Amino acid sequence: MSSQAALMFSGGVDSTVAAVKLLDDFERIHLLTFANGYGHYAFGRTRRRVRELDERYPGRFVHFEASIKTMFEAVCLSSIKEDYARYGSAFMWCMGCKLCMHARSIIYCHQNGIEKMSDGSASDSDEMVEQMLLSVSMVYWLYDSWGIEYFVPVYHIGRDEKRQFLRDGGYHLGIPVLDRYLGIQPSCIPGELYYLPYILFNKTPGHEEETVARYIASKREQLHGVIRAAIGKEAI
Amino acid sequence: MAGCCGGKNAGKPIGRGRYLAGLAFFATYHSVVHVALSGAAVVAPRLVSVRDFHGHYFRHLLREAMACDGITVGAGAPEDTCRIEAGQD
């Protein structure tokens, strides 16, 4: 069993199942939770989930919370109007936020000697721009540049199976609404606004793979710069 | 569904009642956020660009929603709906 891995953690169904699955392969799991300072709220839900995990697996989890506000402002918000005009969609708010979370995770991993990083990305949530296979693949290379292996332990596990897993474990599942459970992870007002047409009208979210790829590529150097400044090392 | 339709419900038809209720919720939520952003931008000028971005985005989406652009109201599933997901729920 390897010593430790990190997991981007909200406390939702996907990241909770990922946390428990990682226990099979790692002695200690670092749960990383980030807020961008622009409409993220209800982080008490994540802490509640961490308590649930701690009760079941004492001493196996370390929870770390941090703000990515400054990074998010520099990487995403500083060019949000120009990017919106360039890409014709608002996906860059969510994608930019997630890229900053990944950059902050890389910094955390370097500071704590962690070589494995994961998150709860899932193929059955791939309407979300940051969970598209393309985005996950490009994020893999971002981590790889810094000598960290990024993997997605629940990517191909179906939503029903994950829910049953949590039900069997006696975890809090929140309020079922449509095909989601509400109240178990932090919310994000801009994210809700972006996905509102999909939720309300079944309208396809406005992010094409090619556009998303161009956006991620355009932010790559800036992200490397932020990481470099924080850890005082060059990418591989 | 990966790489197929942008979500399992994307493109599926909705009823007229849901469309109208959704439109009301959509306009109300965005309007409240925009009013809040406009007020906040007075106190914190760094939010001006966020307010403007949201304003553009809201107007764009509202035009699309009112024109039913990409939304199927009260009809059968369009032919370009993902074949894998069509009929599943």
Side-chain angles (χ1 to χ4, degrees), chain B residues 35-66:
Chain B
V35 168
L37 271 176
S38 298
V42 173
V43 184
R46 67 189 163 81
L47 292 175
V48 167
S49 62
V50 177
R51 178 202 64 194
D52 292 347
F53 160 68
H54 175 259
H56 287 299
Y57 183 55
F58 177 30
R59 283 193 293 276
H60 173 75
L61 283 185
L62 190 59
R63 271 197 302 272
E64 284 191 345
M66 292 184 76

Side-chain angles (χ1 to χ4, degrees), chain A residues 49-69:
Chain A
R49 184 69 89 203
V50 172
R51 285 197 296 276
E52 282 188 312
L53 289 168
D54 278 337
E55 286 164 10
R56 288 160 177 77
Y57 308 98
R60 302 290 299 277
F61 293 101
V62 177
H63 187 215
F64 173 77
E65 291 184 42
S67 170
I68 54 162
K69 186 178 178 188

Side-chain angles (χ1 to χ4, degrees), chain A residues 38 69 73 80-81 84 90 93 124 126-127 179 189 192-194 196-205, chain B residues 1-3 5-12 14 18-19 22-23 29-30 46-47 52-53 57 60 64 69:
Chain A
Y38 286 83
K69 186 178 178 188
E73 287 172 342
I80 192 82
K81 284 171 72 177
Y84 180 60
W93 187 288
D124 53 15
D126 76 346
E127 74 273 15
D179 62 347
I189 292 170
E192 288 167 1
L193 291 176
Y194 180 63
L196 214 47
Y198 173 71
I199 295 165
L200 295 175
F201 308 126
N202 292 343
K203 182 173 164 55
T204 305
Chain B
M1 89 195 61
C5 305
K8 71 172 186 172
N9 294 325
K12 287 184 180 175
I14 57 171
R18 177 174 164 181
Y19 170 70
L23 203 56
Y29 193 175
H30 270 284
R46 67 189 163 81
L47 292 175
D52 292 347
F53 160 68
Y57 183 55
H60 173 75
E64 284 191 345
D69 184 358

Side-chain angles (χ1 to χ4, degrees), chain A residues 2 9 15-16 30 38 51 91 114 120 138 140 176 208 231:
Chain A
S2 301
F9 187 76
S15 62
T16 303
H30 296 248
Y38 286 83
R51 285 197 296 276
F91 73 86
I114 298 166
M138 292 186 79
Y140 173 90
E208 300 292 329
I231 67 176

Side-chain angles (χ1 to χ4, degrees), chain A residues 21 46 130 174 178 205 216:
Chain A
K21 295 276 183 199
T46 304
E130 73 280 5
L178 299 174
I216 296 175

Side-chain angles (χ1 to χ4, degrees), chain A residues 90-101:
Chain A
F91 73 86
M92 77 283 298
W93 187 288
C94 298
M95 195 67 241
C97 174
K98 196 61 180 272
L99 288 173
C100 291
M101 290 183 180

